[in-house]
Amino acid sequence: MTTRRTRPAPRPPEGTPPRAELARQARTALADAVRIARWAADGASSGTPPLAAQTLERAAAALELSPAQVRSGWDRARLAGLVELHGDTARPGWRLRAWDRDDSAVLRGWVALFDAWSLVHPAPQGIESSAVAEAVEAVPQVLSLLQLSAGPVTVPALLDLLGQRVAELHEERCEVPYGPEPLPAAAPAPTAHPAALVARLLDWALEGLAAVGALTLGVGTATLTPLGNWAVWVKLEQICVAAQSPAGNIEQSAADMLLGCARLTPGPARAEYRAWLAARPVGSAVAELLGVARGEDALLRGLAFEALRVVGAPAEPEVRSVVTDPSLRPYALLWLAEYDGTDPEDAQEVLSREEATWLWVDTAAAVADHGETGLLVRHLDSAVQGTVPALLDEVRAVGHPRTVQVLVALAAAHPDPALAKAVRKAAFQVHTGGA
């Protein structure tokens, strides 16, 4: 994540509002979700998710919302990374902490919700899951047409495009195994979807995208909102909105220092860590770095342990003391293994399969929050499982609070439709609690 080539940032389409205005619109779109996330995560509600009947009524009364609005807002809060579940306890996500001051965090939260539109607005009953998956795979082309049109597009035009793309996917569809299993016998060519079904799928997709604020629906037309237009352009250009490094870090807090070093190569980053550490008592510096590592930003968690590697021996007792913390354990075990002389390339062997999987999800969350699309796709190669089905099975079981968001982002980024479909299915199962 620190060795990417630099290039001039492409300019957004003419008429795109400034980022501050886009962030204001995203804050408006997620206002209820933010209120519910704060209510669920603050001390007044004891960190209890507002879904149990008694808690749901308390949340609805406190926030002056209907129970249905509380459920919907809670769902959006989770998908946007505003809140995380740790067992039966709700904790504020890093985006919620940064919500009022960090436009990039707000926009990334909204984009996470945009990517999860099919979870926000579930498909109608009675439609086969394969048809739903084909529609989800076809929606990016619908969005591209809307973005290129720079204005209202008639529903018949969108229906024609969706019908063509779904027909192509339906004809090409085959279940390709991701392992040594033999290929199944050739199945008969599937029949085309009826026009009425394609129309239902389009209605569902447009309603889902409108529900997350990506487009507005008129009489027989659909138009991308400024947020939707910007998000589609960002995805087409494959750029990221990571924070820029500040000019100097020595006087910054640990979190700001680490974020400022995020885009540096390892050598300059270590020099920044040393300068920052030299200006502080080692005990307080280690405590501050571990405090950042306990936060919700996975990128800062990894960087905090990189900085602790520069500290060396004075950090060893404190690092050893956090081995019992589930969110820090994989990082602490790797740090201790390297401190004891293990080659960094062999240090992964100290992790159990479950710990390695948890670390894979945590790293994927960092990439999804701060990296580029291609990095998230390539991150698949670092999984210990070796096959996508095995990875998805173990990711579902590991219980990382960012699992759904990571899988949704990976499905949105991966160019292989069959793999993306499998990842989306896993995200849906985790989100709904299914097997």
Side-chain angles (χ1 to χ4, degrees):
M1 294 180 64
T2 59
T3 59
R4 23 180 290 200
R5 298 186 301 273
T6 59
R7 60 171 182 168
R11 289 182 173 273
E14 186 176 352
T16 301
R19 286 174 58 80
E21 171 59 20
L22 290 169
R24 186 196 66 78
Q25 295 177 17
R27 287 185 175 97
T28 300
L30 284 163
D32 282 350
V34 169
R35 291 179 63 209
I36 292 165
R38 285 176 171 158
W39 184 91
D42 70 15
S45 58
S46 302
T48 302
L51 294 182
Q54 206 169 20
T55 311
L56 182 65
E57 293 298 330
R58 284 200 298 118
L63 299 170
E64 298 182 347
L65 298 171
S66 69
Q69 288 174 316
V70 172
R71 289 182 185 275
S72 174
W74 173 251
D75 202 37
R76 289 163 178 261
R78 289 184 61 198
L79 292 172
L82 299 172
V83 71
E84 297 176 358
L85 281 182
H86 297 259
D88 293 329
T89 301
R91 296 181 187 171
W94 74 271
R95 286 181 182 138
L96 185 63
R97 298 182 186 277
W99 195 254
D100 294 328
R101 58 177 170 80
D102 189 337
D103 288 350
S104 290
V106 172
L107 291 171
R108 284 181 174 274
W110 184 85
V111 169
L113 186 69
F114 169 68
D115 286 339
W117 68 266
S118 60
L119 298 180
V120 173
H121 187 67
Q125 295 290 329
I127 299 181
E128 290 186 3
S129 59
S130 59
V132 171
E134 289 160 3
V136 173
E137 291 173 26
V139 158
Q141 284 192 294
V142 173
L143 290 168
S144 295
L145 174 61
L146 286 161
Q147 200 266 342
L148 291 171
S149 299
V153 179
T154 64
V155 168
L158 297 174
L159 185 61
D160 183 56
L161 176 61
L162 183 70
Q164 290 180 33
R165 183 61 183 139
V166 166
E168 292 170 0
L169 293 168
H170 193 58
E171 184 177 349
E172 297 167 1
R173 188 184 76 225
C174 64
E175 299 295 338
V176 180
Y178 287 93
E181 299 89 348
L183 290 172
T191 56
H193 291 314
L197 175 57
V198 178
R200 286 186 70 195
L201 290 170
L202 178 64
D203 288 345
W204 164 63
L206 294 180
E207 290 167 2
L209 292 164
V212 298
L215 54 79
T216 57
L217 300 177
V219 179
T221 64
T223 310
L224 283 176
T225 63
L227 270 176
N229 187 68
W230 168 80
V232 175
W233 171 77
V234 167
K235 289 181 178 297
L236 290 174
E237 292 293 334
Q238 296 188 350
I239 67 171
C240 69
V241 291
Q244 298 297 312
S245 295
N249 298 298
I250 193 170
E251 296 180 0
Q252 303 290 332
S253 67
D256 290 339
M257 180 274 293
L258 294 171
L259 191 59
C261 294
R263 295 167 70 86
L264 300 179
T265 53
R270 283 192 292 270
E272 289 289 311
Y273 300 153
R274 290 189 185 99
W276 185 87
L277 290 163
R280 289 158 178 78
V282 65
S284 62
V286 169
E288 189 174 354
L289 288 168
L290 287 175
V292 172
R294 290 188 178 92
E296 284 75 24
D297 191 335
L299 174 66
L300 296 187
R301 184 161 29 255
L303 293 175
F305 277 85
E306 289 297 325
L308 288 167
R309 285 177 172 84
V310 173
V311 177
E316 189 265 343
E318 292 298 321
V319 172
R320 198 170 295 280
S321 72
V322 302
V323 167
T324 56
D325 185 325
S327 66
L328 302 186
R329 179 176 174 81
Y331 294 95
L333 290 176
L334 291 175
W335 191 98
L336 291 167
E338 293 179 31
Y339 174 73
D340 290 336
T342 304
D343 189 298
E345 293 185 2
D346 300 327
Q348 290 278 345
E349 296 178 5
V350 305
L351 302 181
S352 69
R353 182 92 162 200
E354 183 179 19
E355 290 160 354
T357 303
W358 195 99
L359 183 61
W360 186 91
V361 179
D362 207 46
T363 305
V367 176
D369 287 338
H370 299 277
E372 288 185 324
T373 298
L375 290 174
L376 187 60
V377 174
R378 292 195 293 275
H379 185 56
L380 270 176
D381 296 335
S382 67
V384 298
Q385 284 75 14
T387 68
V388 172
L391 171 64
L392 295 179
D393 286 342
E394 294 185 34
V395 163
R396 283 197 295 261
V398 79
H400 193 289
R402 295 291 300 281
T403 297
V404 172
Q405 294 165 45
V406 163
L407 293 179
V408 167
L410 180 58
H414 206 285
D416 184 333
L419 189 148
K421 174 184 173 183
V423 176
R424 271 195 305 273
K425 180 179 179 182
F428 179 78
Q429 290 172 337
V430 175
H431 180 64
T432 58

